[in-house]
Amino acid sequence: MRVLALTLLLPLVACGKGDADADSAPAVDAASCGDLDGEGGDTGDIPNLLGGWTTQFGANRYDDGSCSVSGLSAAELGEVLGGVLKIDGRAPDALYATLNNDELRYYGLLNTSGGVVFTGTTEKAGHTLYVSFGGLLYRQPQTERDEMRGFAYIGVDLDGADTVIDCWLQGDWRATRSGS
């Protein structure tokens, strides 16, 4: 029974050792599973991506100017990407994020230069929203906090049936590590 329990826990501790290429993967402890290149911090390394973040969207935003979304203003669209962000999974290509404690998952990738992107779809006010957000993950030396800065895009399918983006909203996006 103990062997079975240890076998089930091994993938959680090894973070990446359950893959087909496990023999070529470096040993990584569970605390750094979201940090592709080491310890993070002020050394120029990429910080650990996993955990809680506070996000802001649209200090600078732009839409196509021709979109009228019934029951959903541009400000309400922007609320989709602001608030509490939680990132889980395993770097680099088995990541997922949730926003504002919603169960909906946005799936993502992290590259060795700190580039991060998440995508997914959601429903709001009867419309299908195609969402993409991400940017560059780094340690902000002025505040000694981890940040991601970059982009966010929301494409709106007005009728939700034809998978055509009828109008859109895009803007800057920022996430700051919670609690650090």
Side-chain angles (χ1 to χ4, degrees):
M1 186 59 127
R2 284 185 180 184
V3 173
L4 178 61
L6 289 173
T7 303
L8 294 174
L9 289 174
L10 184 60
L12 297 175
V13 177
C15 190
K17 288 297 188 179
D19 296 342
D21 64 345
D23 294 336
S24 63
V28 179
D29 66 7
S32 4
C33 289
D35 187 355
L36 288 182
D37 64 352
E39 298 301 315
D42 62 1
T43 63
D45 291 339
I46 301 169
N48 189 334
L49 180 65
L50 304 180
W53 300 81
T54 302
T55 64
Q56 299 170 325
F57 167 69
N60 299 301
R61 74 172 89 186
Y62 178 76
D63 62 59
D64 66 0
S66 64
C67 188
S68 176
V69 181
S70 172
L72 195 56
S73 69
E76 290 169 315
L77 272 174
E79 291 171 4
V80 170
L81 291 168
V84 176
L85 174 71
K86 175 97 166 83
I87 301 174
D88 287 307
R90 189 179 69 223
D93 57 359
L95 297 167
Y96 64 92
T98 57
L99 285 160
N100 299 315
N101 299 316
D102 189 355
E103 291 182 16
L104 175 71
R105 291 182 176 186
Y106 296 89
Y107 291 94
L109 304 166
L110 169 67
N111 71 28
T112 57
S113 299
V116 180
V117 65
F118 289 93
T119 63
T121 60
T122 188
E123 300 287 325
K124 189 151 178 126
H127 307 291
T128 301
L129 308 180
Y130 296 89
V131 178
S132 178
F133 58 92
L136 185 62
L137 171 63
Y138 64 97
R139 180 78 172 174
Q140 176 60 267
Q142 292 84 357
T143 60
E144 296 185 8
R145 294 181 75 145
D146 298 338
E147 288 191 357
M148 286 181 276
R149 287 188 188 233
F151 70 93
Y153 175 88
I154 302 170
V156 182
D157 180 356
L158 293 172
D159 62 17
D162 60 5
T163 65
V164 171
I165 294 176
D166 299 302
C167 57
W168 48 268
L169 177 69
Q170 67 185 23
D172 62 330
W173 180 81
R174 178 177 147 193
T176 305
R177 168 83 62 199
S178 297
S180 62

